Amino acid sequence: QSGYFSSMFSGSWKESSMNVIELEIPDQNIDVEALQVAFGSLYRDDVLINPSRVVALLAAACMLQLDGLIQQCGETMKETITAQTVCGYYNSAGTYGLDSVKKKCLEWLLNNLMTHQSVGLFKELSINLMKQLISSSNLFVLQVEMDVYTALKKWMFLQLVPSWNGSFKQVLAEADAWFAERRREFGGDVAFLESAQGSAFVPVFAHLRLQYIISDLASARIVERDALLPSEWLSSVYKQQWFAMLRAEQDNDIGPQEINKEELEGNSMRCGRKLAKDGDYCWRWTGFNFGLDLLVTYTNRYIIFKRNTLNQPCSGSVSLQPRRSIAFRLRLASFDCSGKMICSRTTGYQILTLEKDQEQIVMNLDSRLLTFPLYICCNFLYTSPEKRADS
């Protein structure tokens, strides 16, 4: 049953003629208890796997080449992913070649990173893993991109000061104070990511979608105050957004006319909302969206988009073009208390063209999705991708 022993005893290895064999266990994840369970699995069909011991057992099963037990460990890991286990499982799955477990852990983090934040989780998340999460268009962002920036600021602080052990509610204030002290040390001339301490985090922060942060005044002021990001990053985004606004207002850019998946994956605005219970809701995600004020309504199991044009305090605050288009993807999901997805639904990527004050039903929920809290996540693109590239 064990490829490890089969190879040892059937070949020309010296062990095949020895009466007593001492096994060297090079893997530190393997302990005596894990070996006992692994050996016991040779003599019974079912093994009860304790989730708290699954990584050690997986390590032993891989050393002994027990394929059935490896598969059992993988299934146990996939069923017991939580905020406490996800990073350990992800790393172990990479070490022992369980790609399906690794994929499941990544999915869990994309769905739950913004809602299951904790000191322990942020300390465990590696730079490479966080980079994968932040760069993904599948990240469930709540509420807006600025919240991703805030989460990264907390995460970077906990990576740099792993001895800090306060409550998660205190992290932001502690992080702000810690980075303010670094600013005083640098004298205001160097962004933190340009320092020796901060340079390792550049690949993660580079995947922030800054164009959707600096479009909100309060958020832009916080980013400028923090001085985490190199000034060149911000100046290039300010320029990009200024030209995008000019095109929308003066060059008759009425928005995307076709689905450009690469552009949507890499540059769409990511935003989300949690509906705690059933009812009627109407909201907008703040920020200047190139003169298109989009209202989102949840009512009677429908999700409705409305282009809000006439009811504005300032007539120049929105585009008055007869028709405007957006590219979008809408996703809805509900999760259990551990973050496991119960059900989900998506529109896929679509183009929606709206006239002034026109509204459009974009999704009709069936009863299976009405498990609350309900999470709504949207990806929006308001400007024509090819014109954005030209700038």
Side-chain angles (χ1 to χ4, degrees):
Q1 296 179 65
S2 165
Y4 179 80
F5 289 118
S6 177
S7 174
M8 180 183 290
F9 296 146
S10 63
S12 57
W13 304 103
K14 64 178 181 178
E15 287 87 354
S16 61
S17 60
M18 294 170 65
N19 292 326
V20 177
I21 299 168
E22 286 190 17
L23 298 181
E24 287 191 19
I25 312 295
D27 191 335
Q28 293 183 346
N29 285 328
I30 300 174
D31 55 21
V32 172
E33 183 182 344
L35 283 174
Q36 288 175 338
V37 176
F39 288 142
S41 73
L42 297 169
Y43 301 96
R44 56 187 303 168
D45 293 332
D46 297 315
V47 177
L48 184 61
I49 299 177
N50 186 335
S52 66
R53 301 286 307 154
V54 70
V55 172
L57 184 56
L58 173 63
C62 286
M63 189 195 84
L64 299 176
Q65 300 174 38
L66 301 173
D67 293 340
L69 187 57
I70 292 171
Q71 185 176 354
Q72 264 189 280
C73 288
E75 293 304 314
T76 298
M77 292 165 79
K78 284 189 278 190
E79 289 299 317
T80 56
I81 296 173
T82 65
Q84 291 72 41
T85 63
V86 64
C87 289
Y89 284 179
Y90 179 87
N91 294 330
S92 298
T95 300
Y96 301 111
L98 294 183
D99 290 340
S100 62
V101 174
K102 195 173 179 180
K103 180 181 178 183
K104 200 79 173 177
C105 289
L106 194 62
E107 288 176 358
W108 189 96
L109 285 165
L110 288 169
N111 291 334
N112 295 282
L113 177 67
M114 301 302 292
T115 55
H116 284 65
Q117 298 175 28
S118 68
V119 172
L121 177 61
F122 274 20
K123 285 182 179 180
E124 284 191 90
L125 281 168
S126 68
I127 289 176
N128 285 336
L129 181 51
M130 187 61 98
K131 177 185 172 183
Q132 286 189 68
L133 299 174
I134 299 304
S135 63
S136 176
S137 65
N138 293 323
L139 179 66
F140 253 85
V141 173
L142 297 175
Q143 298 269 342
V144 290
E145 193 75 19
M146 182 61 186
D147 296 290
V148 181
Y149 169 85
T150 304
L152 283 187
K153 183 164 53 171
K154 298 174 188 176
W155 165 77
M156 182 164 62
F157 166 71
L158 291 171
Q159 292 285 305
L160 291 165
V161 192
S163 59
W164 190 85
N165 279 316
S167 73
F168 194 75
K169 290 182 178 179
Q170 300 170 308
V171 175
L172 183 57
E174 290 288 329
D176 282 338
W178 194 87
F179 288 118
E181 183 61 31
R182 303 290 85 73
R183 286 198 300 277
R184 286 190 285 272
E185 291 176 6
F186 301 153
D189 297 327
V190 179
F192 183 77
L193 292 184
E194 295 175 311
S195 69
Q197 281 181 302
S199 59
F201 300 94
V202 167
V204 180
F205 279 81
H207 287 287
L208 278 171
R209 303 185 180 188
L210 293 174
Q211 63 269 38
Y212 305 117
I213 294 177
I214 58 96
S215 61
D216 174 69
L217 180 60
S219 300
R221 283 176 171 164
I222 291 172
V223 170
E224 293 281 355
R225 178 207 69 193
D226 289 345
L228 300 179
L229 310 178
S231 59
E232 294 80 5
W233 290 17
L234 294 171
S235 59
S236 66
V237 174
Y238 287 134
K239 179 180 178 180
Q240 169 191 317
Q241 293 302 84
W242 177 245
F243 274 103
M245 187 180 73
L246 291 177
R247 286 196 307 274
E249 294 306 309
Q250 300 178 17
D251 198 27
N252 295 321
D253 178 9
I254 63 170
Q257 301 302 297
E258 58 183 21
I259 298 295
N260 184 328
K261 189 174 180 181
E262 182 179 354
E263 179 76 4
L264 280 160
E265 295 278 342
N267 292 308
S268 56
M269 182 173 77
R270 302 177 294 188
C271 43
R273 188 170 176 100
K274 175 184 175 181
L275 305 186
K277 59 184 180 180
D278 201 5
D280 292 336
Y281 299 87
C282 183
W283 69 92
R284 59 165 62 84
W285 285 286
T286 58
F288 182 75
N289 300 322
F290 308 101
L292 179 58
D293 185 36
L294 193 70
L295 297 181
V296 184
T297 302
Y298 169 82
T299 182
N300 296 324
R301 301 185 181 183
Y302 292 105
I303 300 289
I304 299 168
F305 289 170
K306 179 182 178 181
R307 181 185 171 193
N308 189 31
T309 305
L310 300 180
N311 184 26
Q312 293 288 338
C314 175
S315 61
S317 63
V318 296
S319 169
L320 298 178
Q321 292 180 8
R323 298 164 68 85
R324 281 294 304 266
S325 298
I326 57 169
F328 75 96
R329 178 185 62 174
L330 178 68
R331 291 181 294 152
L332 282 80
S334 55
F335 306 93
D336 65 16
C337 58
S338 69
K340 183 179 180 181
M341 185 177 286
I342 300 172
C343 53
S344 65
R345 188 174 170 189
T346 179
T347 61
Y349 288 116
Q350 296 185 20
I351 297 286
L352 179 63
T353 301
L354 295 172
E355 298 179 0
K356 295 177 185 178
D357 289 296
Q358 182 183 355
E359 60 182 40
Q360 179 72 43
I361 296 172
V362 293
M363 184 179 284
N364 179 10
L365 281 69
D366 57 44
S367 58
R368 290 174 300 166
L369 260 180
L370 292 180
T371 304
F372 288 84
L374 188 66
Y375 292 86
I376 298 175
C377 190
C378 293
N379 295 73
F380 290 119
L381 199 63
Y382 288 90
T383 57
S384 303
E386 65 276 6
K387 291 190 177 182
R388 178 178 295 214
D390 291 341
S391 71

